[in-house]
Amino acid sequence: MKPNTPESELSPAVQQAISRYLDTKQTQQGNVNKMEEIIADMARCKNQKEEIDNLSEQSGGQWREAFLKMRGQVSDEMKAQQLQRLANQEMSRELGHLLLSLDIEKDRQEITCSGSGKALLDSHESALMAYAEQELRKALSAGLETLIRTVSLKRTALRYQQATVTLGGRLSDYEVSPDAVIFEEINQYLKDEMTRYKFDMAQEPVLAQLGVHRPETKFFSAKLASGGGRSMAFAALKRKEEQLGATAP
């Protein structure tokens, strides 16, 4: 199969649409990477907090048991253990506050990902449509003399047939549009052929960039991509930030 339109022969409008799509794709990937970093940070902090809480609970029980056994006599080792317990408790509080802060950051980044995700979907749709329209115009202008001849011939035959069936138009109930018959036949043929057709990406340099499916939009929320949804989400974020500031350690 002959390769389809190379990038060098694309119209300026199509090139611009593809360039915009590739830019939004890069932006979206950057936002996704940042979101994944936030999620990884949250997972790490959560594990650290759980480890410290478990250790603090175990050491606390052991310290109290030793304290009761020593009847209140506190050794230097017990003093050091108590200081460590207090330090662990403080660290746990700090990690808890950090988790809340990261959760707010995650919510904010989800709004960002949704905005850039919508831009990615819109730019992909525009680029694919622009390229498809150029390819269709190219195919139609390449020369359809054979098809035009056969369609004209079929129309002529159908008109003669209709004149016979309708007695020269007197029986209009039996009248059928020749064009409708021809277009339906062509349409059905194209549908059958398209069902079997598969794009050969080795011969599709432009489609290899665009893809024929909607691009992946990780962390995308249609609700957060809408104006109303974003306004509500930002208002919720502001409330979270105020609550976090009021409970800061």
Side-chain angles (χ1 to χ4, degrees):
M1 182 184 295
K2 183 181 178 181
N4 290 288
T5 304
E7 293 182 65
S8 60
E9 296 180 11
L10 295 174
S11 70
V14 174
Q15 290 180 356
Q16 184 178 15
I18 293 175
S19 178
R20 187 181 303 113
Y21 163 68
L22 295 176
D23 288 343
T24 57
K25 184 178 181 180
Q26 184 177 8
T27 299
Q28 170 70 359
Q29 187 57 54
N31 289 333
V32 167
N33 292 343
K34 184 176 180 180
M35 181 64 142
E36 289 176 340
E37 290 174 1
I38 295 171
I39 293 174
D41 289 341
M42 291 183 69
R44 186 182 64 256
C45 289
K46 182 179 180 182
N47 289 336
Q48 288 179 338
K49 188 176 186 305
E50 289 176 352
E51 290 176 3
I52 290 175
D53 288 343
N54 291 335
L55 180 61
S56 181
E57 184 177 354
Q58 293 173 4
S59 61
Q62 294 171 354
W63 191 91
R64 281 188 294 273
E65 183 179 346
F67 180 76
L68 293 174
K69 185 177 181 180
M70 297 294 292
R71 297 182 180 277
Q73 296 181 21
V74 181
S75 65
D76 290 341
E77 182 181 359
M78 290 181 65
K79 289 179 181 178
Q81 290 174 349
Q82 179 68 348
L83 290 174
Q84 185 60 49
R85 286 181 60 236
L86 294 175
N88 286 341
Q89 291 172 0
E90 179 63 21
M91 178 61 72
S92 178
R93 283 193 292 272
E94 290 290 348
L95 285 170
H97 188 269
L98 178 57
L99 277 170
L100 293 174
S101 179
L102 287 172
D103 186 59
I104 291 175
E105 189 175 346
K106 181 175 75 69
D107 289 347
R108 187 181 302 279
Q109 190 62 20
E110 185 180 7
I111 299 173
T112 300
C113 287
S114 297
S116 61
K118 184 179 186 304
L120 175 63
L121 294 174
D122 290 346
S123 65
H124 178 263
E125 179 182 330
S126 296
L128 189 61
M129 180 60 73
Y131 179 59
E133 289 176 346
Q134 174 177 299
E135 290 297 277
L136 181 59
R137 288 194 300 269
K138 175 184 173 183
L140 292 176
S141 62
L144 300 175
E145 290 82 2
T146 301
L147 179 60
I148 292 171
R149 174 185 175 277
T150 54
V151 168
S152 297
L153 178 60
K154 184 70 177 283
R155 175 192 280 175
T156 299
L158 286 171
R159 282 176 174 171
Y160 283 134
Q161 183 185 65
Q162 284 294 295
T164 300
V165 171
T166 64
L167 299 179
R170 291 193 293 277
L171 301 177
S172 59
D173 290 345
Y174 298 96
E175 187 174 359
V176 176
S177 169
D179 288 344
V181 173
I182 294 171
F183 292 152
E184 175 59 28
E185 184 176 346
I186 294 174
N187 187 47
Q188 188 58 54
Y189 175 81
L190 290 175
K191 284 182 177 179
D192 293 341
E193 290 298 311
M194 286 189 291
T195 300
R196 293 187 288 269
Y197 185 81
K198 294 185 181 299
F199 290 104
D200 181 2
M201 288 305 181
Q203 304 295 325
E204 298 280 0
V206 177
L207 282 183
Q209 290 189 80
L210 293 176
V212 294
H213 303 291
R214 287 165 64 90
E216 180 183 10
T217 50
K218 200 171 182 181
F219 306 118
F220 171 78
S221 166
K223 180 179 179 181
L224 295 179
S226 67
R230 291 171 70 84
S231 297
M232 293 175 62
F234 279 123
L237 274 178
K238 185 177 181 181
R239 290 193 295 271
K240 276 189 174 183
E241 289 173 334
E242 291 173 350
Q243 293 172 359
L244 182 62
T247 59

